[in-house]
Amino acid sequence: MPGDALSQDPAELRRRIDTTKAHPARVYDVFLGGKDNYPVDRSAAAAAIVANPTGYLDVRHNRDFLRRAVTTLTQEAGVRQFLDIGTGLPTQENVHQIAQRITPESRVVYVDNDPVVLAHARALLTSGPEGQTDYIDADLEEPARILEEAAKTLDFEQPIALVLVAILHFIEDEAAYPIVRELVEALPSGSRLVLSHLTEDLNAENIRAVQRTFTERGFTFVLRSRAEVERFFTENGLEVEEPGVVPVHRWRPDGAAPLPEKVDPAYFATLDDIEKIRYRDINDVTDADINVYGVTGIKP
């Protein structure tokens, strides 16, 4: 059954929404062509595009990494439970849609702290009759609470995939590593960590320019090296799986990235740079376009 978070008064949720400050989940939604954002979020996304014109490829390929990772863990590793923290706004496709299409009995718990995400959580919770999907209104910096609430839906005696996709770069080192440690310690043997993270290893000038645009808007924005990303695994006793810590578009590519919607060229020419993103083909990507690492690991 859905968590208590979904029973909150819609008016209370509206009061919690701060439309004067950009929010990572809503900025992410802009890059994915969504409509659940505000002018302040679109302004932040537009500034990032000016700083790095192909930066939308980071977001879109990060999302496709999630698709491939969930598919791989469900089909090949037999994982039937997912804890997705920093869920973001509903978009195609969500973890439960991917997993339950392959294995209908899969269980998925989503976690986010943005009231706009919460307001849309009922759309996320359209699980098939055999599976179960829930939503927790919580912050990543509340791992004990997340684990307590997740245990109402997930069986912590069976493997769980902990999904931390494009979320840890919003957390400083002194908090990030202990949070992941506490979450991983609670997982049983055979569990997985699915992680993606922005880095300056790959195309430093571009991503540093983006970093400046976000920190000016009050975001914590930590770029971590390959070794610092790998540390989330090694210091928690996790075995990094093949192909290791790699740019997201190189993590087990399957040639099945979504193709863009067809659009009339004349209409396309009238759109601004942000509006054009939803119609761009992400399959046209090079190493110089990507600033995100993707990696999965298993708990022995």
Side-chain angles (χ1 to χ4, degrees), residues 12 34 68 96 102 104 120 122 131 152 155 201 211 213 245 256-257 264-265 280 287 297:
E12 173 60 27
R68 298 193 309 276
H96 78 281
I102 299 166
H120 288 79
R122 290 179 181 85
K152 297 175 182 178
D155 178 0
D201 287 356
Q211 182 185 43
T213 70
V245 182
D264 179 73
R280 296 195 184 279
D287 290 352

Side-chain angles (χ1 to χ4, degrees), residues 7-8 38 51 66 125 139 155 179 183 197 201-202 223-224 253 291-292:
S7 64
Q8 290 193 25
Y38 296 93
L66 175 65
L125 293 170
D139 192 282
D155 178 0
I179 287 168
L183 292 168
H197 202 295
D201 287 356
L202 304 174
L223 302 173
R224 293 189 171 96
N291 305 279
V292 187

Side-chain angles (χ1 to χ4, degrees), residues 37-58:
N37 48 71
Y38 296 93
V40 67
D41 305 305
R42 292 190 286 275
S43 175
I49 286 295
V50 170
N52 181 17
T54 60
Y56 66 91
L57 289 168
D58 279 334

Side-chain angles (χ1 to χ4, degrees), residues 17-293:
I17 298 171
D18 183 356
T19 62
T20 67
K21 183 179 179 181
H23 189 284
R26 302 195 306 258
V27 176
Y28 194 84
D29 181 64
V30 174
F31 284 118
L32 291 172
K35 301 296 184 184
D36 300 305
N37 48 71
Y38 296 93
V40 67
D41 305 305
R42 292 190 286 275
S43 175
I49 286 295
V50 170
N52 181 17
T54 60
Y56 66 91
L57 289 168
D58 279 334
V59 176
R60 299 275 296 281
H61 276 282
N62 176 75
R63 191 76 192 182
D64 201 54
F65 160 72
L66 175 65
R67 175 188 64 80
R68 298 193 309 276
V70 172
T71 298
T72 298
L73 293 183
T74 307
Q75 284 184 331
E76 300 178 15
V79 174
R80 299 292 178 262
Q81 303 187 107
F82 294 84
L83 176 57
D84 181 3
I85 304 177
T87 303
L89 283 149
T91 186
Q92 299 298 320
E93 285 186 306
N94 302 295
V95 170
H96 78 281
Q97 292 168 311
I98 301 165
Q100 291 178 0
R101 183 172 59 246
I102 299 166
T103 308
E105 68 269 23
S106 296
R107 298 182 178 190
V108 179
V109 171
Y110 294 105
V111 183
D112 210 295
N113 69 334
D114 179 30
V116 174
V117 177
L118 179 57
H120 288 79
R122 290 179 181 85
L124 281 172
L125 293 170
T126 54
S127 176
E130 298 176 63
Q132 196 167 355
T133 311
D134 202 356
Y135 184 95
I136 300 171
D137 178 19
D139 192 282
L140 175 58
E141 297 191 55
E142 305 173 282
R145 177 165 172 258
I146 289 172
L147 292 167
E148 180 183 1
E149 292 294 321
K152 297 175 182 178
T153 300
L154 305 179
D155 178 0
F156 276 76
E157 299 297 318
Q158 299 296 323
I160 295 169
L162 171 63
V163 180
L164 299 175
V165 167
I167 183 67
L168 287 169
H169 43 249
F170 297 115
I171 308 291
E172 298 285 3
D173 283 353
E174 61 268 21
Y177 290 103
I179 287 168
V180 175
R181 184 182 311 118
E182 185 171 349
L183 292 168
V184 170
E185 282 179 351
L187 303 178
S189 175
S191 293
R192 260 65 174 195
L193 174 58
V194 179
L195 187 151
S196 67
H197 202 295
L198 284 167
T199 182
E200 60 183 350
D201 287 356
L202 304 174
N203 299 289
E205 184 177 349
N206 289 351
I207 195 62
R208 285 174 187 158
V210 173
Q211 182 185 43
R212 285 192 295 273
T213 70
F214 285 132
T215 55
E216 288 168 358
R217 287 164 171 78
F219 288 5
T220 297
F221 206 82
V222 183
L223 302 173
R224 293 189 171 96
S225 67
R226 185 182 186 280
E228 289 168 329
V229 170
E230 197 166 37
R231 179 184 162 195
F232 287 111
F233 294 79
T234 55
E235 77 169 21
N236 293 309
L238 300 173
E239 298 175 359
V240 174
E241 298 175 296
E242 290 296 329
V245 182
V246 296
V248 282
H249 67 304
R250 294 195 174 277
W251 194 92
R252 305 191 190 186
D254 60 4
L259 293 172
E261 179 184 344
K262 297 291 186 182
V263 61
D264 179 73
Y267 171 70
F268 183 80
T270 68
L271 303 177
D272 63 28
D273 289 341
I274 290 295
E275 293 170 325
K276 287 177 179 176
I277 288 174
R278 64 182 299 177
Y279 301 110
R280 296 195 184 279
D281 186 355
I282 70 168
N283 294 283
D284 181 19
V285 63
T286 70
D287 290 352
D289 295 318
I290 298 298
N291 305 279
V292 187
Y293 282 132

